[in-house]
Amino acid sequence: MTAFSRFTPLISALPATVPFVGPEAIERNRGLAVKARIGANENGFGPAPSVLQAICEAAASTWKYNDPENFALKQALAGHLKCRPETIAVGEGIDALLGQIVRMVIEPGMAVVTSFGAYPTFNFHVTGHGGRLVTVPYVDDREDLNGLLETVRQENPPLVYFANPDNPMGSWWDADSIVSFAKAVPETTLLVLDEAYCETAPAGSTPPIAALIDRPNVIRTRTFSKAYGLAGARIGYAISTPGTAAAFDKIRNHFGMARISTEAALAALADQAYLEKVVGKIAASRDRIAGIARANGLVPLASATNFVAVDCGRDGAYSKTIVGGLMEHGVFIRMPGVAPLNRCIRISAGPESDMALLEEALPQVLKSL
Amino acid sequence: MTAFSRFTPLISALPATVPFVGPEAIERNRGLAVKARIGANENGFGPAPSVLQAICEAAASTWKYNDPENFALKQALAGHLKCRPETIAVGEGIDALLGQIVRMVIEPGMAVVTSFGAYPTFNFHVTGHGGRLVTVPYVDDREDLNGLLETVRQENPPLVYFANPDNPMGSWWDADSIVSFAKAVPETTLLVLDEAYCETAPAGSTPPIAALIDRPNVIRTRTFSKAYGLAGARIGYAISTPGTAAAFDKIRNHFGMARISTEAALAALADQAYLEKVVGKIAASRDRIAGIARANGLVPLASATNFVAVDCGRDGAYSKTIVGGLMEHGVFIRMPGVAPLNRCIRISAGPESDMALLEEALPQVLKSL
């Protein structure tokens, strides 16, 4: 393949890696059909009926660019979160916001601290901007707050990433520990506190907005992709100080947000009764996954997210065989990428029809190994 | 406002500029309602009924992430364009692709050649990556192919931008001239040939895909935002060699495309009969705009796009007063940003109801000046 001869050295050196292979690609590559889509931490319970209606109603206006200031969505989020709209930045999913954040603070060679085995798309952006990943091992399947802080103090990095609850393990910390951690991070290090899964987390595990809103070196990221069931809409948002939030405006794709997606997010935010119902369904589905795991001699980890990491008791190769075997039955799941986390498989919550397929397939797969 | 203290020097130095102020912001800031939205080169004739139906049908699946490989859309585009799918890269509108292209080739201080007064969002990305804009004046309201080539030879820039048809003037070159130009651009300079408006251009003005598909230093960009009426969906694509196209995979937001938007684009591409009808309506609307301009003593420029630049015969301040005055009547239009282009106002094609509002308001505004 002949490519342009003068990409920057940084771009030329990058591999054409993909953070995640989509289930559609697996279907195409392996000639298999996904019957239970419970691998990408999507929300198979789907968005609210009110959201589906809002989407249909917005269809006819999709000839218009979306408001580049995202005024209505910021207002609605500010009302919901009880903060000022200028503390919010909106982007095409948390993934896009993470890319912008990395670009804002990282020059080639700079250190970025994260946990070993944490969110691959963040690492993708760090590598893409020439950053140097410095990783801290998980301790007891949780991101290690003390270890992260110690490494931050050693490396003095411009950026540290921490997710609560955590993906891929589903573990979490209590709000007080997180606030203490965030306040201990030096002001020259930007903390990304990724709260993609906060809606499904137990009470007391998500710091109040007010607790960190005055810290210019803290950006909290959230999404409509998980509990709200709008992964395909690509709506994420960041909460920080107005000064830090304003930096996104310097570089973001101002006309990047899809209009129908924005209407969908507004409708989803307005329907908190539906959200509450879905969060209940997700909790029940976590229990169902845990039950299936136990019935098969596997150990489900406690989870604050819309998925469950299930300890299969052996190494990554073993987990990989289970993931591959389940796919043969049309059950799409994923697994953590590195040891020791990859002794687990990761199964997303979903409707009972998906759970039934999992329940049927898992013992067959385990038996065949 | 207190911001994080350690943004990169490049980011810290950037202004918080916006390439375009949206009509919603104008409404909010001026307390006026837009009645005729004919300023952003959107397509007020809207997408096909088949597209609206596809959007509603796709609503229920928006809990799923979109296929990150954009397989179906690439296949469909390849079939439509008669090229291989691996020559295509898909992004969140041409704006996002332009940002990625700039990132691929520009390091701080490097020259980027474009026309003086051409697409501001491209310039926004160049500035955002520290590039140095080197501009070539329009000649007779067209981008100056010879001038661009001469400047490219002088500056040896990694990147040159050229739009055909042109925005904001609506002018165009014939395909042969463009192919000659593209082949004369040195292989160490990447040519972005922005063809956002190619569907509305006269026959013989868009080079065949095959004419440039083997040149690693040419990327052609196209969109569903204009003739297809899907500006709010954010679907653009780039056509280049497979080697050059693969570079996008190194840095793009793999899960950035909205699922419903992708379904809408697929449906729009499949309905070429509707596209043809709309292109006819756009041509008729251009004539209508030209007629209104002439009736008011103004001079419409010939246009290959879905808008008409209208020469108001005086300076930018005068044009600005007309743009502002029309907005008082609820008629949203825009104007080029720099002299001598800004002796013009720029009016997008649209339904007759919009044209009637323009026809009524324009003489009143001109009279009041």
Side-chain angles (χ1 to χ4, degrees):
Chain A
M1 290 201 305
T2 314
F4 178 57
S5 60
R6 199 179 169 189
F7 290 124
T8 65
L10 175 58
I11 297 296
S12 297
L14 286 176
T17 45
V18 177
F20 292 104
V21 178
E24 296 84 359
I26 297 172
E27 288 182 312
R28 287 190 295 270
N29 299 340
R30 296 187 57 184
L32 297 169
V34 168
K35 294 172 200 161
R37 187 165 160 134
I38 48 177
N41 304 342
E42 296 160 332
N43 178 351
F45 300 109
S50 60
V51 171
L52 301 186
Q53 195 187 328
I55 289 172
C56 282
E57 286 172 7
S61 71
T62 194
W63 63 271
K64 301 178 188 174
Y65 287 108
N66 194 36
D67 171 17
E69 299 185 4
N70 298 299
F71 182 83
L73 185 54
K74 282 185 179 183
Q75 289 284 328
L77 284 168
H80 178 68
L81 299 167
K82 314 247 182 305
C83 63
R84 286 185 294 151
E86 54 271 34
T87 62
I88 296 168
V90 172
E92 303 90 340
I94 289 178
D95 285 0
L97 294 164
L98 291 177
Q100 290 161 9
I101 290 167
V102 172
R103 181 176 157 196
M104 286 177 196
V105 298
I106 295 303
E107 292 178 323
M110 284 180 170
V112 176
V113 173
T114 184
S115 300
F116 186 59
Y119 193 45
T121 303
F122 177 73
N123 298 357
F124 168 80
H125 289 306
V126 170
T127 306
H129 286 276
R132 179 172 53 87
L133 286 164
V134 181
T135 58
V136 177
Y138 281 62
V139 171
D140 296 335
D141 297 322
R142 281 208 297 189
E143 294 195 55
D144 178 11
L145 284 180
N146 288 336
L148 286 166
L149 192 57
E150 197 179 319
T151 307
V152 163
R153 285 181 173 144
Q154 280 162 10
E155 293 278 347
N156 185 26
L159 188 58
V160 57
Y161 175 88
F162 171 72
N164 187 65
D166 175 66
N167 176 18
M169 302 310 281
S171 52
W172 70 100
W173 285 84
D174 64 281
D176 287 348
S177 300
I178 289 160
V179 171
S180 299
F181 169 73
K183 291 189 172 174
V185 169
E187 63 176 26
T188 50
T189 297
L190 184 64
L191 165 65
V192 176
L193 174 55
D194 188 346
E195 301 182 317
Y197 298 94
C198 66
E199 290 89 358
T200 54
S205 62
T206 303
I209 293 295
L212 296 171
I213 195 69
D214 61 347
R215 303 195 77 79
N217 68 325
V218 176
I219 298 181
R220 302 169 75 165
T221 54
R222 298 187 177 185
T223 183
F224 284 88
S225 296
K226 304 301 174 186
Y228 287 104
L230 289 172
R234 315 315 303 130
I235 307 273
Y237 56 101
I239 311 158
S240 60
T241 62
T244 297
F248 289 94
D249 283 337
K250 296 181 170 187
I251 59 166
R252 71 188 175 93
N253 182 7
H254 287 262
F255 285 87
M257 303 298 295
R259 190 175 184 98
I260 291 177
S261 297
T262 305
E263 293 299 326
L266 282 165
L269 195 65
D271 199 340
Q272 291 293 315
Y274 182 84
L275 177 72
E276 198 179 326
K277 221 160 55 182
V278 164
V279 167
K281 287 183 186 178
I282 289 171
S285 182
R286 284 192 310 238
D287 292 344
R288 181 87 168 89
I289 294 168
I292 294 170
R294 282 192 204 98
N296 286 277
L298 308 178
V299 179
L301 308 192
S303 170
T305 64
N306 75 334
F307 61 84
V308 178
V310 174
D311 188 339
C312 301
R314 293 171 60 177
D315 64 0
Y318 184 70
S319 301
K320 200 175 169 184
T321 317
I322 297 174
V323 169
L326 283 172
M327 185 62 210
E328 299 277 343
H329 293 260
V331 177
F332 164 64
I333 67 164
R334 284 202 178 115
M335 60 179 281
V338 302
L341 314 183
N342 64 5
R343 69 187 196 287
C344 296
I345 56 176
R346 197 194 65 180
I347 304 167
S348 307
E352 176 51 31
S353 53
D354 291 353
M355 295 301 114
L357 286 169
L358 173 70
E359 186 171 39
E360 194 190 331
L362 185 57
Q364 297 181 48
V365 170
L366 291 172
K367 207 170 148 186
S368 72
L369 297 182
Chain B
M1 289 203 304
T2 313
F4 177 57
S5 59
R6 199 178 169 190
F7 289 124
T8 67
L10 175 58
I11 297 294
S12 296
L14 287 176
T17 45
V18 178
F20 292 104
V21 177
E24 295 84 359
I26 297 172
E27 287 183 312
R28 288 190 295 269
N29 298 340
R30 297 185 57 183
L32 296 168
V34 169
K35 295 173 200 161
R37 187 166 160 134
I38 47 176
N41 304 342
E42 297 160 330
N43 178 351
F45 300 110
S50 59
V51 171
L52 301 187
Q53 196 188 327
I55 290 171
C56 281
E57 285 172 8
S61 71
T62 195
W63 64 271
K64 300 178 189 175
Y65 286 109
N66 193 36
D67 171 17
E69 298 185 4
N70 297 298
F71 182 83
L73 185 55
K74 282 184 177 183
Q75 289 284 329
L77 285 168
H80 179 68
L81 299 168
K82 315 246 183 303
C83 64
R84 287 184 295 152
E86 53 271 36
T87 63
I88 296 168
V90 171
E92 303 90 339
I94 290 179
D95 285 359
L97 294 164
L98 290 176
Q100 290 161 8
I101 291 168
V102 172
R103 181 177 156 195
M104 286 177 196
V105 298
I106 295 303
E107 291 179 323
M110 286 181 169
V112 177
V113 174
T114 184
S115 300
F116 186 61
Y119 193 45
T121 303
F122 176 73
N123 298 357
F124 168 79
H125 289 307
V126 171
T127 307
H129 286 276
R132 178 172 54 86
L133 286 162
V134 181
T135 57
V136 177
Y138 281 62
V139 171
D140 296 336
D141 296 323
R142 280 206 298 189
E143 294 195 57
D144 179 11
L145 284 181
N146 289 336
L148 287 166
L149 192 56
E150 199 178 317
T151 306
V152 163
R153 285 178 174 147
Q154 282 164 10
E155 294 277 347
N156 185 26
L159 187 59
V160 56
Y161 175 90
F162 171 71
N164 185 64
D166 175 67
N167 175 18
M169 303 309 281
S171 52
W172 70 100
W173 285 85
D174 64 282
D176 288 348
S177 301
I178 288 160
V179 171
S180 300
F181 169 73
K183 292 188 172 175
V185 169
E187 63 177 25
T188 49
T189 298
L190 183 65
L191 166 64
V192 176
L193 174 56
D194 188 346
E195 302 182 317
Y197 298 95
C198 66
E199 290 89 358
T200 55
S205 61
T206 303
I209 293 295
L212 297 170
I213 195 69
D214 60 347
R215 303 196 76 79
N217 69 325
V218 176
I219 297 180
R220 301 169 76 166
T221 54
R222 297 187 177 183
T223 183
F224 284 88
S225 296
K226 305 301 174 184
Y228 286 104
L230 288 172
R234 312 317 303 128
I235 308 272
Y237 56 102
I239 310 158
S240 61
T241 61
T244 297
F248 288 94
D249 283 336
K250 295 181 171 187
I251 59 166
R252 72 188 174 91
N253 181 7
H254 287 260
F255 286 85
M257 304 298 295
R259 190 174 183 98
I260 291 176
S261 296
T262 304
E263 294 298 326
L266 282 166
L269 195 65
D271 199 339
Q272 290 293 314
Y274 182 85
L275 177 71
E276 199 180 325
K277 222 161 57 183
V278 164
V279 167
K281 285 184 187 177
I282 288 170
S285 183
R286 284 194 307 239
D287 292 345
R288 181 87 168 90
I289 294 167
I292 294 169
R294 284 193 203 96
N296 285 278
L298 308 179
V299 180
L301 308 191
S303 169
T305 62
N306 75 335
F307 61 84
V308 178
V310 173
D311 188 340
C312 300
R314 291 169 65 175
D315 64 2
Y318 184 69
S319 301
K320 199 174 170 186
T321 317
I322 296 173
V323 170
L326 282 173
M327 185 62 211
E328 298 278 343
H329 293 260
V331 178
F332 163 65
I333 66 164
R334 284 200 177 116
M335 59 179 282
V338 302
L341 314 183
N342 65 5
R343 71 188 195 285
C344 296
I345 56 176
R346 196 194 66 180
I347 304 167
S348 307
E352 175 52 30
S353 53
D354 291 352
M355 296 301 116
L357 286 169
L358 173 69
E359 187 171 39
E360 193 190 332
L362 185 58
Q364 296 181 48
V365 170
L366 291 172
K367 208 170 149 186
S368 73
L369 297 183

